[in-house]
Amino acid sequence: MSGGNWAVVLAGGDGVRLRALTREVFGDDRPKQFCPILGRNTLIASTRARLAQVIPFHQAMFVVVAAHRRYYEPELADVQSSRVVVQPGNKGTSAAIVYALLRTCRLDKEAVVGFFPTDHHYQDEQAFTRAVESAYRLARRSRDSLVVLTADPTGPEVDYGWIEPQPRLKHHSSHFLYRVRHFREKPSQQLAQRMFERGGLWNTFVTVGRARTFLDVLEQTVPDTLRRFAPVAESSEPGQERAHANRIYETLVPGDFSREVLSHCTNRLIALRNPDAGWTDLGNPDRVASAIAQKMAQREMPVGSAA
């Protein structure tokens, strides 16, 4: 299928900030995406199940790291090898997105692609999937823009990215859409407080757009990284691609997609506000504890009671 909706699941992180917790619970240093932190399913399995509601099985791509093979192989045993992007090492989200995007373009040049971290939790997953469906529809119409899902902040968080929206766009979607005035990745406490008071939004990192639009934005913001991956884009055999990737990753400098790309292309962004999903990033033990408490409270809530 040409021009289909594709999802890229970013599962190559090392989970350093949660390592003490996961080591204590599971007895080894497996990254958090391979841990069943909020139930029976691992975080990567939960992400797969969430996206399966909106993305065809064969149009989901998974980005992993070779060192995690013993953890990701059982999780992805039913996934075609062409849909598993194995990085030689973890060089940050910019490299993961460029690599996965080029692989996706080789399979579908007209793809509309969404990038999804595995360490997210949603109190209302149906609200999340509705927002994702809206993002894909909007990305098809807005050929020159990337759609970023945002969340309403509950405080001046310094570990998240912040988006200062411009006036709301007129659009028939039930979600709120904004152009972006400023994008601040992990600001100081003072700046986060100011963004919070001004009605800023949290960047959830989930970003959707046409593959061609992503490539154009990457060319504008990280041209050297994109140029380095050119041999991968031109590879026709898996062995050839692996050899090129090994050489690329040996000298590649780690990079963060939000900081290097999104914060430098605000004129190309549309913020889709999704206040109902109850998003949190499971990046530290405090947020994990809070998510577990919320989940237990939901289970204990009497039928028919208001949230």
Side-chain angles (χ1 to χ4, degrees):
M1 177 180 177
S2 179
N5 290 346
W6 290 73
V8 174
V9 177
L10 300 170
D14 295 318
V16 174
R17 290 182 297 169
L18 279 189
R19 183 164 292 168
L21 174 63
T22 55
R23 181 186 293 140
E24 180 178 350
V25 175
F26 303 104
D28 56 30
D29 287 338
R30 70 183 63 198
K32 60 187 174 183
Q33 59 268 33
F34 306 114
C35 297
I37 290 176
L38 294 177
R40 295 180 180 179
N41 292 333
T42 62
L43 294 183
I44 189 173
S46 295
T47 304
R48 289 188 66 181
R50 194 180 299 137
L51 293 174
Q53 301 178 56
V54 290
I55 300 295
F57 173 81
H58 64 284
Q59 288 170 203
M61 191 83 67
F62 300 86
V63 186
V64 294
V65 170
H68 303 158
R69 187 177 304 277
R70 63 174 170 154
Y71 303 123
Y72 72 71
E73 280 191 338
E75 295 276 0
L76 305 178
D78 58 338
V79 179
Q80 299 176 52
S81 60
S82 62
R83 272 61 170 173
V84 182
V85 178
V86 182
Q87 301 179 100
N90 178 13
K91 291 300 180 80
T93 49
S94 290
I97 284 175
V98 170
Y99 195 170
L101 186 64
L102 294 175
R103 174 79 69 82
T104 304
C105 286
R106 207 158 67 225
L107 298 169
D108 183 352
K109 292 182 179 179
E110 301 300 323
V112 178
V113 189
F115 292 92
F116 301 87
T118 54
D119 58 353
H120 287 185
H121 171 66
Y122 298 90
Q123 293 181 48
D124 187 339
E125 295 205 347
Q126 291 304 312
F128 166 74
T129 55
R130 288 194 298 270
V132 170
E133 289 171 339
S134 293
Y136 276 94
R137 288 195 298 269
L138 181 59
R140 287 189 175 279
R141 290 193 297 270
S142 306
R143 291 177 173 270
D144 296 326
S145 299
L146 302 178
V147 183
V148 181
L149 268 64
T150 69
D152 286 7
T154 58
E157 176 64 65
V158 296
D159 284 340
Y160 291 162
W162 285 80
I163 285 175
E164 183 178 343
Q166 296 193 43
R168 181 181 171 186
L169 293 172
K170 292 182 179 180
H171 191 264
H172 72 269
S173 170
S174 60
H175 294 97
F176 303 108
L177 303 174
Y178 305 86
R179 285 291 180 182
V180 175
R181 179 176 286 114
H182 296 297
F183 187 110
R184 312 290 189 188
E185 179 63 16
K186 296 183 179 178
S188 66
Q189 186 67 58
Q190 184 178 19
L191 181 54
Q193 182 66 42
R194 197 154 63 240
M195 295 287 281
F196 180 59
E197 292 170 355
R198 289 178 181 174
L201 303 168
W202 280 340
N203 165 40
T204 72
F205 195 96
V206 173
T207 309
V208 182
R210 290 175 175 268
R212 294 178 183 272
T213 305
F214 272 108
L215 289 173
D216 186 36
V217 168
L218 290 166
E219 178 63 39
Q220 292 179 16
T221 54
V222 286
D224 183 61
T225 301
L226 194 59
R227 177 187 57 79
R228 283 171 174 263
F229 275 90
V232 164
E234 298 163 1
S235 301
S236 58
E237 298 293 335
Q240 184 184 49
E241 180 184 308
R242 282 194 298 271
H244 286 311
N246 287 335
R247 287 193 291 271
I248 293 166
Y249 275 73
E250 282 178 359
T251 58
L252 197 62
V253 176
D256 179 83
F257 181 74
S258 290
R259 191 181 303 279
E260 292 185 331
V261 179
L262 295 182
S263 65
H264 292 284
C265 67
T266 53
N267 63 316
R268 305 290 296 273
L269 302 181
I270 295 176
L272 189 156
R273 180 182 163 214
N274 184 25
D276 301 324
W279 169 82
T280 189
D281 176 318
L282 301 173
N284 62 46
D286 289 341
R287 290 195 206 122
V288 170
S290 177
I292 292 173
Q294 289 173 353
K295 195 166 185 178
M296 292 177 65
Q298 286 179 329
R299 289 176 179 174
E300 295 171 359
M301 186 179 299
V303 175
S305 64

